[in-house]
Amino acid sequence: MKKMIITRDNYETVMFGLLENEYPADVREDILQQIEADTFLKFEWGQWSKATYSEGLETYKHHEAEFIEGLTKKDNKGGFIYRMIIPMSMAAALALFFLVRSGNESSEVVGPTISKNQVNTIEKSNIEAPLELKPEKKTAEDKETGKFISKEKNINNIDVQYEEPVFVEVQNENTETIKPSWKQMVEDTAALMVKTALAQQTEKKSKYKVTVVHETMNGLAYENTEFQEKKYYTMADVMNHKDGISLSKFLSNPRSKVIKDKTTNSTYIEYLADDNSVLVLTISN
Amino acid sequence: MNTTEYNIIVRQWGPHLLRFANRNLNNMDVAKDVVQDAFEVLWKNKDEIQAEKARQYLFTVVFRKGIDVFRKNKNNVAIEEHHYEIGQMAGFEKQISDKEFVKMAMDALPEVQRQLVLLRDLEGYDYKELEAITGLNESQVKVYLFRARKALKETITTMEAL
């Protein structure tokens, strides 16, 4: 054991060491015996041993429990979800909005959305020559019993089902009768829009409506002579109520064909309905 | 450190920190602010701090914030008033326990010395840990503690003699 002698010169350092518990137990015991033997040292050690601070935790644990508990954090494992609820809701709302809007647009795909298209209803017999289509013999028969759809007063909202188009080449002489009219009405953009509409319809495999001018015609467009005089209306005309044209008709179960005129380099889509009404869409020239 | 570990630390060391801050600053409201700030700092840095190091981290923050508060209130007369109280209470020393003498004597200590005594006596930190918390080296810690103990002893002796 290392002997530590406590004197009046070093007692403060030694007593500090005792307070700080710096000595081994046997050394500490020896020092305490030396202190006990000296009155001055005994008094001084009594004062030194008071120079420590102690305070229980009970007050802080119990009286301040609420404050302590308030410092805790909630375990938000679903924090990410909670944080994402608002953005996700907004995204869902936007998606729903565009979905509904898109649905509305597609339902009127050949209506206002393709206002640049030429949309014409023509009586079948007027275009008998150019629409001499093969191999649909029924078409030829129907043409002879065709009716003027332009004279119908009631609106028939009947869906048109898209069918895979059949390309038919038309002889030059057969298309001559309507050649000038087509040229007036063709717009390049129309081709793209119609194709887009058809593509959408093909993709959806659902019905879509084809709008046909038919009301308040007053014999302007659907008399044979009038037809020859190139009185045609565009969809834009229809939408703008030009010449009193204001409403539409829907073809019932039409058969569609794509007709390509090599001479004029024009392409048409023809829809022949059950009631022999014919719709011709010009998509290029 | 995850949330569960953080909450355990709050409940385990919150009272200790509050006691330390309250004894150091002698004001429970300010002590609560300091402790709350310390835990907020811990929460912000919880990803970098390991749970086992959190206690020392918290005491370091409270120690430094305590010094900031003390510096802000350096010209505050509260401490001087307290000295006056001690003088006034000298005649009633028989009703005052040794513990209360020590408490008063503690308030008279310089800021760093008081904090070192509190950390040493209340929390049982060794010199190395005190070195880390206070930023002092071990010798300085020892010197400050020695001066603090001696000052406490002398103050207590003086008060008892009055």
Side-chain angles (χ1 to χ4, degrees):
Chain A
M1 181 186 78
K2 193 176 178 182
K3 181 79 173 174
M4 173 75 72
I5 304 295
I6 183 167
T7 64
R8 297 197 179 190
D9 294 325
N10 70 356
Y11 76 95
E12 287 181 329
T13 308
V14 173
M15 287 180 183
F16 174 74
L18 288 173
L19 273 182
E20 297 297 321
N21 210 14
E22 290 179 352
Y23 303 117
D26 50 349
V27 175
R28 180 185 178 85
E29 191 59 35
D30 182 59
I31 294 170
L32 286 174
Q33 284 177 4
Q34 292 179 56
I35 290 171
E36 192 66 28
D38 188 303
T39 309
F40 173 77
L41 294 176
K42 187 178 179 181
F43 173 79
E44 281 296 312
W45 173 239
Q47 296 305 103
W48 269 92
S49 56
K50 291 174 186 173
T52 57
Y53 186 78
S54 64
E55 184 180 355
L57 271 174
E58 290 72 25
T59 305
Y60 301 97
K61 274 185 178 173
H62 300 120
H63 295 171
E64 302 301 336
E66 194 177 340
F67 168 74
I68 299 295
E69 201 57 32
L71 298 173
T72 58
K73 304 283 183 186
K74 288 183 179 176
D75 192 5
N76 54 340
K77 286 180 180 175
F80 176 75
I81 294 172
Y82 287 125
R83 282 195 298 274
M84 293 304 290
I85 277 180
I86 292 174
M88 285 168 72
S89 305
M90 291 175 69
L94 280 172
L96 189 64
F97 171 74
F98 284 114
L99 195 66
V100 169
R101 195 177 165 196
S102 168
N104 289 339
E105 285 175 353
S106 65
S107 67
E108 53 190 34
V109 66
V110 191
T113 55
I114 57 166
S115 58
K116 288 184 177 179
N117 272 343
Q118 291 295 138
V119 180
N120 300 279
T121 52
I122 53 177
E123 203 280 328
K124 183 183 82 62
S125 59
N126 290 341
I127 56 166
E128 190 166 351
L131 291 176
E132 205 168 309
L133 307 171
K134 296 178 181 180
E136 298 210 7
K137 291 178 181 176
K138 187 184 173 184
T139 304
E141 292 170 9
D142 290 342
K143 287 172 186 171
E144 292 174 4
T145 58
K147 297 173 184 176
F148 289 94
I149 61 167
S150 62
K151 291 177 181 176
E152 293 177 8
K153 294 295 178 186
N154 295 327
I155 303 163
N156 301 315
N157 292 330
I158 304 167
D159 289 338
V160 175
Q161 287 181 321
Y162 173 74
E163 292 180 11
E164 198 62 30
V166 178
F167 283 84
V168 179
E169 288 192 4
V170 183
Q171 296 299 319
N172 293 347
E173 56 273 19
N174 292 335
T175 58
E176 279 177 3
T177 54
I178 57 171
K179 210 182 290 179
S181 302
W182 296 127
K183 284 181 179 176
Q184 289 176 15
M185 296 182 289
V186 168
E187 292 286 339
D188 288 338
T189 51
L192 178 62
M193 297 179 77
V194 170
K195 282 177 187 173
T196 305
L198 293 175
Q200 285 178 352
Q201 202 58 33
T202 306
E203 193 178 340
K204 291 181 178 178
K205 298 290 182 190
S206 62
K207 296 177 179 180
Y208 78 105
K209 297 172 181 177
V210 177
T211 307
V212 180
V213 180
H214 88 107
E215 199 179 22
T216 64
M217 304 303 286
N218 298 323
L220 288 174
Y222 296 97
E223 296 291 340
N224 288 344
T225 53
E226 294 292 334
F227 180 76
Q228 297 297 331
E229 288 173 13
K230 313 163 194 174
K231 185 68 176 179
Y232 297 101
Y233 294 90
T234 65
M235 184 57 74
D237 294 334
V238 175
M239 298 310 295
N240 294 325
H241 304 283
K242 187 178 179 182
D243 292 340
I245 298 170
S246 62
L247 211 46
S248 61
K249 168 185 167 53
F250 297 95
L251 301 182
S252 62
N253 299 319
R255 294 175 296 282
S256 63
K257 288 181 175 59
V258 175
I259 306 166
K260 196 166 186 177
D261 186 335
K262 280 185 175 178
T263 306
T264 62
N265 199 26
S266 299
T267 305
Y268 324 118
I269 298 175
E270 180 217 62
Y271 291 94
L272 181 62
D274 283 347
D275 61 354
N276 293 324
S277 298
V278 177
L279 166 70
V280 178
L281 294 177
T282 308
I283 58 175
S284 69
N285 70 344
Chain B
M1 184 195 315
N2 58 34
T3 308
T4 307
E5 289 172 328
Y6 171 85
N7 287 337
I8 290 170
I9 287 163
V10 168
R11 293 182 182 112
Q12 185 174 1
W13 299 113
H16 289 256
L17 285 160
L18 197 56
R19 177 178 64 177
F20 170 62
N22 184 42
R23 273 314 312 136
N24 181 36
L25 301 166
N26 210 24
N27 184 320
M28 185 58 107
D29 291 333
V30 179
K32 282 181 180 178
D33 288 343
V34 167
V35 171
Q36 190 167 357
D37 288 350
F39 276 110
E40 283 302 319
V41 172
L42 177 69
W43 177 253
K44 281 180 186 171
N45 298 295
K46 67 180 189 304
D47 296 333
E48 290 83 38
I49 298 167
Q50 294 173 339
E52 54 269 24
K53 299 279 185 186
R55 181 196 177 203
Q56 186 174 306
Y57 182 85
L58 285 165
F59 273 100
T60 304
V61 174
V62 172
F63 174 85
R64 288 175 186 170
K65 283 188 178 292
I67 289 174
D68 291 343
V69 171
F70 183 77
R71 284 175 183 165
K72 278 182 188 173
N73 301 328
K74 206 169 183 179
N75 298 322
N76 198 313
V77 293
I79 294 172
E80 291 172 16
E81 285 173 354
H82 199 74
H83 284 298
Y84 180 68
E85 280 178 24
I86 293 169
Q88 272 192 324
M89 293 164 78
F92 305 97
E93 71 271 13
K94 285 180 183 174
Q95 297 168 23
I96 301 171
S97 67
D98 287 347
K99 207 170 180 178
E100 285 167 318
F101 274 136
V102 176
K103 204 171 175 180
M104 292 175 194
M106 287 281 288
D107 292 337
L109 286 177
E111 174 67 14
V112 175
Q113 290 182 23
R114 181 168 65 250
Q115 295 209 76
L116 281 170
V117 172
L118 289 170
L119 290 168
R120 178 79 171 149
D121 292 348
L122 293 177
E123 304 302 325
Y125 281 118
D126 61 26
Y127 292 145
K128 284 284 179 194
E129 289 170 318
L130 290 174
E131 194 179 334
I133 291 170
T134 60
L136 302 168
N137 63 41
E138 194 172 335
S139 299
Q140 286 175 311
V141 168
K142 217 168 177 177
V143 168
Y144 277 125
L145 268 176
F146 177 78
R147 288 176 185 169
R149 301 271 187 223
K150 191 176 175 184
L152 283 174
K153 184 225 81 170
E154 286 171 357
T155 305
I156 291 165
T157 303
T158 305
M159 284 192 290
E160 285 178 347
L162 288 171

